[in-house]
Amino acid sequence: MPIEFKELSYVYDEGMPFAHHALNKIDLAIEEGIVTAIVGKTGSGKSTMIEHLNALLLPSEGSLKILDHTIIAKEKNTNLKALRQKVGLVFQFSEYQLFEETIIKDVSFGPKNFGASEEEAVLKAKEALKLVGLDESYYERSPLNLSGGQKRRVAIAGILAMDPSIIVLDEPTAGLDPKGASEMMSIFKTLNKDYQKTIILVTHDNELVYDFADEVVLLDGGEVKAKLKCEDFFSDQTLIDTYKIVLPKIVALRNMLKEKGFKGLDEVRDIEELVERVVDFE
Amino acid sequence: MNKIVFGKYLPLNSPIHHLDPRAKILAMLVMLVAVFMPAGWYGYIVIAIILSIVTMIAKIKFSYIYRSFKPMMMMVIFLLIINILSFKEGVLLLDLGFLTVYSNALFQTFYIAVRLILMIMITTLLTFTTKPLDLTLGIEYVLGPFTRFGLPTHEIAMIISIALRFIPTIIEETMRIMNSQKSRGVDFEEGKLKEKVMAIVSLIVPLFSVAFQRADELANAMEARGYVPGEERTRYKQLKYTKNDFILLAGSFLVLAMVIVLAFVI
Ligand SMILES: Nc1ncnc2c1ncn2[C@@H]1O[C@H](COP(=O)(O)OP(=O)(O)O)[C@@H](O)[C@H]1O
Ligand SMILES: [Mg+2]
């Protein structure tokens, strides 16, 4: 397992009267090469959990294994920079991290920090920008006067240019329109399928979860409540009732059809195909 | 960054928390004046004991007060160096040939450090026990008499309250941007000078950009809700003095009187 949480707890403002237990004895393993979605309501600890993945937060208790790094609570942890190169973390509203005069400079900032030469860094930046769909005409423009969606693409390119093997995304589609969100997600799909990147995606949009994730981890009150294959997650009735999970439209429709007596629709993910099956039924 | 306690409000339930902010601000000013009096050790010991009692009544752990001293340590060390270099009186404690240390240098530093500590204790006690909004309201009332001389008290209080309100937001933004840049390999702790400068630039530029954006949004939101500077405004919350407020004020004036007696009469 490339990522393993072992009894990991995290307390904000430890020792203060307003100390807050954000994570409680997390035990979790995340597989390589797949897309794992982390879901749960606001305040359930999703952001706190993923900030551990590149050691921005260090565990208050327990330990965490990421690739060949092990981080243990209350021990001196070294070589965090090497870890940060391998785990690219894209923050919620990542557009705020832009600061250089030109887009190409901003995107090549990451690789340069990790020791790439100027030429290498620019090369990687160009590749990353192409991946997020920004062509040469953008290279010399200022990142600060782009539209919100474009800024976010630049910010994501800035992480991709570091060539991490694990990419962690915190609400990458927050504030984007459905079309923008879907385009954004296809970028990550490509990264997973064509570049074999491990993707960890935090979101509260279950449509996106259903369309893109292989595995789903449910957090609630700082605890892992479930870790299931995507299809199993959305058909686990107890889980859905207990945590009031909003079903993706197609799953909800399938369930309704099933109630009306249609059979053999399980795992049909495409609306057209569903329609065909229903028409052909009898 | 999360460890900063100076200026924070601690939401506890104590008699000190319930005092009128105006009374607390006035008492703070009186106590600060008292600390400035050259009252000698006895005066400072009495002030320290009284402040400790107030801290206990406010249910604040001494470790928090202690934490707010930490940023001051650098200043004290700097002061000590200056004093060692400039004070050449008293008993010779150490002679390294090129450097001599006299007792008065240590004594003077200690004296100033004690004053600083008392001043920080007084101001943190105020911010620990007073909600930012109450503080603003209190400031506005305390400044009230100066309206006559053309001082825009309401505007000043509004500016202070917005500034206070935005301190946590800005700290949060700073943390967030720092984290983003750390993820991109920026090292804020170590590195050569050039890397350090780059690290700071990568923090400052987005921070300014966010701050201006926030300011713009806030201005629009205030205008949309009909805020006009200088216009007469009514208040939802009315301040009222209670018995405890008078005890606090009387107590602080008593301390000041005592210190003056110690300093100038005896
Ligand atoms: N910097 C912080 N200081 C104190 N508490 C925090 C901080 N960040 C988050 N929290 C608290 O920790 C809990 C989990 O937050 P978070 O991980 O951001 O949740 P999510 O991303 O799932 O919305 C929340 O209750 C939140 O209030
Ligand atoms: Mg979050």
Side-chain angles (χ1 to χ4, degrees), chain B residues 176-246:
Chain B
R176 186 156 81 181
I177 295 165
M178 265 176 106
N179 276 345
S180 308
Q181 306 302 25
K182 273 193 211 164
S183 299
R184 293 212 273 170
V186 174
D187 198 335
F188 284 97
E189 277 108 45
E190 288 152 37
K192 292 195 273 302
L193 183 67
K194 187 167 169 260
E195 287 162 10
K196 274 247 163 76
V197 170
M198 204 59 183
I200 302 283
V201 171
S202 79
L203 178 63
I204 297 282
V205 174
L207 200 55
F208 265 86
S209 148
V210 171
F212 279 114
Q213 203 175 322
R214 285 289 140 84
D216 207 34
E217 282 164 11
L218 180 70
N220 284 339
M222 284 171 76
E223 246 176 80
R225 289 196 272 171
Y227 178 78
V228 182
E231 220 52 0
E232 184 70 26
R233 283 160 57 85
T234 52
R235 296 216 172 272
Y236 161 67
K237 184 161 183 169
Q238 300 296 326
L239 294 179
K240 241 167 83 191
Y241 283 115
T242 60
K243 195 180 80 202
N244 283 349
D245 298 313
F246 290 110

Side-chain angles (χ1 to χ4, degrees), chain A residues 12-13 20 22 41-48, chain B residues 2:
Chain A
Y12 279 107
D13 297 303
H20 182 86
K41 52 176 190 268
T42 307
S44 56
K46 307 184 294 289
S47 300
T48 309
Chain B
N2 264 328

Side-chain angles (χ1 to χ4, degrees), chain B residues 36 87 103 140 258 260:
Chain B
F36 269 108
F87 275 89
S103 61
E140 190 173 343
M258 178 208 74
I260 289 175

Side-chain angles (χ1 to χ4, degrees), chain A residues 37-250:
Chain A
I38 297 175
V39 299
K41 52 176 190 268
T42 307
S44 56
K46 307 184 294 289
S47 300
T48 309
M49 187 164 127
I50 60 166
E51 278 176 34
H52 280 84
L53 293 176
N54 69 0
L56 288 174
L57 294 179
L58 297 172
S60 307
E61 265 169 59
S63 69
L64 173 64
K65 229 170 74 192
I66 313 155
L67 302 170
D68 44 5
H69 297 257
T70 307
I71 296 171
I72 299 170
K74 307 206 161 75
E75 280 187 20
K76 193 158 171 53
N77 292 291
T78 50
N79 220 359
L80 298 182
K81 199 163 164 175
L83 174 63
R84 287 183 187 148
Q85 191 266 315
K86 290 180 219 157
V87 181
L89 182 53
V90 178
F91 277 85
Q92 203 165 356
F93 300 109
S94 48
E95 49 272 30
Y96 290 125
Q97 73 187 33
L98 306 176
F99 74 100
E100 282 280 19
E101 300 129 73
T102 66
I103 289 177
I104 194 83
K105 266 193 184 172
D106 204 290
V107 176
S108 52
F109 179 63
K112 269 192 279 183
N113 283 330
F114 290 112
S117 70
E118 183 76 36
E119 295 82 52
E120 271 178 310
V122 169
L123 213 66
K124 285 197 167 160
K126 287 182 178 169
E127 225 176 288
L129 281 168
K130 198 167 150 213
L131 258 169
V132 299
L134 296 173
D135 60 35
E136 291 108 65
S137 65
Y138 286 92
Y139 290 177
E140 297 304 322
R141 285 176 61 178
S142 163
L144 298 178
N145 30 20
L146 294 174
S147 78
Q150 287 171 324
K151 271 191 199 172
R152 193 167 305 174
R153 280 161 191 254
V154 175
I156 290 171
I159 300 294
L160 298 184
M162 292 161 19
D163 198 20
S165 59
I166 299 174
I167 300 171
V168 186
L169 305 141
D170 195 352
E171 305 268 5
T173 59
L176 295 185
D177 55 277
K179 186 164 161 283
S182 171
E183 281 171 8
M184 185 67 70
M185 289 309 300
S186 5
I187 297 173
F188 304 130
K189 188 101 190 166
T190 311
L191 284 167
N192 175 240
K193 290 277 166 307
D194 302 346
Y195 294 79
Q196 285 79 43
K197 306 281 186 197
T198 304
I199 306 234
I200 296 169
L201 166 74
V202 169
T203 181
H204 56 245
D205 186 344
N206 284 347
E207 296 293 336
L208 293 180
V209 173
Y210 192 68
D211 285 346
F212 295 100
D214 301 305
E215 291 263 338
V216 184
V217 174
L218 174 70
L219 274 188
D220 192 73
E223 288 172 17
V224 175
K225 297 294 181 187
K227 177 176 182 282
L228 291 167
K229 291 242 169 316
C230 189
E231 200 64 63
D232 298 339
F233 180 78
F234 289 113
S235 46
D236 187 328
Q237 202 55 45
T238 352
L239 214 58
I240 291 167
D241 293 341
T242 317
Y243 298 105
K244 304 197 171 50
I245 291 160
V246 181
L247 289 179
K249 286 196 211 78
I250 187 128

Side-chain angles (χ1 to χ4, degrees), chain B:
Chain B
M1 227 13 120
N2 264 328
K3 301 285 181 276
I4 293 177
V5 291
F6 188 73
K8 251 193 190 162
Y9 169 64
L10 296 181
L12 299 169
N13 192 8
S14 84
I16 307 286
H17 283 73
H18 294 302
L19 288 172
D20 190 300
R22 291 170 295 181
K24 279 192 269 190
I25 292 170
L26 284 174
M28 176 194 81
L29 292 175
V30 172
M31 291 299 282
L32 285 179
V33 173
V35 171
F36 269 108
M37 293 289 159
W41 294 113
Y42 289 125
Y44 292 143
I45 288 171
V46 174
I47 293 177
I49 290 173
I50 290 174
L51 288 179
S52 308
I53 293 172
V54 174
T55 309
M56 280 190 278
I57 298 175
K59 298 183 185 164
I60 292 166
K61 284 194 209 148
F62 283 97
S63 59
Y64 302 151
I65 303 254
Y66 169 71
R67 270 199 229 178
S68 53
F69 294 156
K70 275 193 186 153
M72 196 193 71
M73 286 314 282
M74 280 309 293
M75 226 163 108
V76 172
I77 291 169
F78 186 67
L79 208 70
L80 181 66
I81 294 169
I82 302 244
N83 280 348
I84 285 177
L85 294 179
S86 54
F87 275 89
K88 297 295 174 199
E89 288 146 39
V91 188
L92 182 65
L93 294 177
L94 190 66
D95 192 351
L96 295 175
F98 64 99
L99 184 76
T100 49
V101 179
Y102 286 88
S103 61
N104 266 17
L106 299 187
F107 192 72
Q108 270 300 324
T109 312
F110 189 62
Y111 196 70
I112 296 174
V114 167
R115 281 180 163 192
L116 271 175
I117 285 174
L118 289 177
M119 277 162 58
I120 290 177
M121 228 171 142
I122 293 166
T123 37
T124 26
L125 269 176
L126 178 71
T127 57
F128 273 175
T129 61
T130 316
K131 288 194 199 108
L133 272 180
D134 287 347
L135 204 57
T136 326
L137 200 54
I139 293 170
E140 190 173 343
Y141 275 104
V142 171
L143 289 178
F146 296 101
T147 324
R148 221 169 302 161
F149 308 113
L151 193 72
T153 43
H154 168 70
E155 281 78 358
I156 291 176
M158 181 58 92
I159 289 168
I160 294 174
S161 102
I162 290 175
L164 286 174
R165 158 67 187 74
F166 273 88
I167 288 172
T169 313
I170 295 293
I171 291 181
E172 222 167 84
E173 294 289 356
T174 311
M175 300 271 294
R176 186 156 81 181
I177 295 165
M178 265 176 106
N179 276 345
S180 308
Q181 306 302 25
K182 273 193 211 164
S183 299
R184 293 212 273 170
V186 174
D187 198 335
F188 284 97
E189 277 108 45
E190 288 152 37
K192 292 195 273 302
L193 183 67
K194 187 167 169 260
E195 287 162 10
K196 274 247 163 76
V197 170
M198 204 59 183
I200 302 283
V201 171
S202 79
L203 178 63
I204 297 282
V205 174
L207 200 55
F208 265 86
S209 148
V210 171
F212 279 114
Q213 203 175 322
R214 285 289 140 84
D216 207 34
E217 282 164 11
L218 180 70
N220 284 339
M222 284 171 76
E223 246 176 80
R225 289 196 272 171
Y227 178 78
V228 182
E231 220 52 0
E232 184 70 26
R233 283 160 57 85
T234 52
R235 296 216 172 272
Y236 161 67
K237 184 161 183 169
Q238 300 296 326
L239 294 179
K240 241 167 83 191
Y241 283 115
T242 60
K243 195 180 80 202
N244 283 349
D245 298 313
F246 290 110
I247 297 177
L248 176 74
L249 281 174
S252 56
F253 275 107
L254 210 68
V255 171
L256 180 61
M258 178 208 74
V259 173
I260 289 175
V261 169
L262 278 175
F264 301 113
V265 182
I266 298 176

